Amino acid sequence: MSLQKQVMDKMKEAMKAKDTVALQALRAVKSAFLLAKTETGVQQELSEEQEIKIIQKQVKQRKDSAAIFIKQGREDLAEPELAELAVLEQFLPEALSEEEIEKVVIATISKLGASGMKNMGKVMGVVSKELAGQADGGTISTLVKKNLL
């Protein structure tokens, strides 16, 4: 079942349960899906990879907003962001631990024969594609830098 279909099913459940937080998060994702579909001008179905990227972007927005609100001492505004974050994360694949990500980074570096920071982009591209949806870009970047030095 596609992520779009899963989001729609969860929206229906949230409406029936009168769960406004989940409904707001799911509507934002649905809107992002529709926007992505119409951006090209051709109504194409989104690939699963594109759907995951859209949800990851929504998750990142919620995390960033919550972090800013907490930093400013506004827990009342951070709470709904964190609640929406929890709703959205259920649509993402299981996240890998930092050790598992590092294993993939090291394997990719040795496979490509990369050394030095000049090869960072090459390594990042391969690792990001391989771990799509399972790892945060910032974490991947940090581990690539650490292992390329």
Side-chain angles (χ1 to χ4, degrees):
M1 181 181 341
S2 77
L3 284 175
Q4 291 182 56
K5 176 94 173 88
Q6 289 177 18
V7 167
M8 291 302 295
D9 290 346
K10 288 289 185 183
M11 265 181 73
K12 289 175 189 170
E13 290 175 22
M15 283 181 199
K16 288 177 184 173
K18 297 186 184 342
D19 185 351
T20 56
V21 173
L23 196 55
Q24 185 173 343
L26 296 169
R27 282 184 173 149
V29 171
K30 181 184 174 198
S31 174
F33 284 155
L34 290 173
L35 186 64
K37 279 171 59 173
T38 57
E39 270 180 355
T40 58
V42 180
Q43 286 255 335
Q44 293 180 319
E45 284 300 312
L46 297 172
S47 68
E48 187 173 346
E49 187 177 304
Q50 290 171 313
E51 292 173 338
I52 289 174
K53 280 185 180 177
I54 290 169
I55 294 176
Q56 281 180 319
K57 184 177 179 181
Q58 296 285 320
V59 166
K60 185 174 182 339
Q61 287 174 346
R62 303 292 183 299
K63 280 183 182 175
D64 292 347
S65 295
I68 290 169
F69 291 141
I70 289 171
K71 186 177 172 185
Q72 294 175 345
R74 297 293 311 264
E75 277 74 25
D76 58 318
L77 296 175
E79 256 180 56
E81 295 291 331
L82 294 172
E84 287 183 27
L85 174 68
V87 171
L88 296 177
E89 283 182 330
Q90 66 185 329
F91 296 103
L92 293 176
E94 188 71 31
L96 297 175
S97 71
E98 203 165 303
E99 294 82 30
E100 293 170 316
I101 297 168
E102 190 162 19
K103 285 179 188 173
V104 173
V105 168
I106 292 169
T108 304
I109 289 171
S110 64
K111 185 172 77 176
L112 295 174
S115 63
M117 292 306 290
K118 66 179 185 273
N119 293 317
M120 183 169 174
K122 193 186 304 182
V123 175
M124 280 292 296
V126 173
V127 173
S128 294
K129 233 179 215 168
E130 189 174 330
L131 299 180
Q134 297 178 309
D136 177 55
T139 306
I140 294 172
S141 175
T142 304
L143 292 172
V144 169
K145 284 178 189 172
K146 177 180 146 191
N147 287 292
L148 274 178
L149 295 176

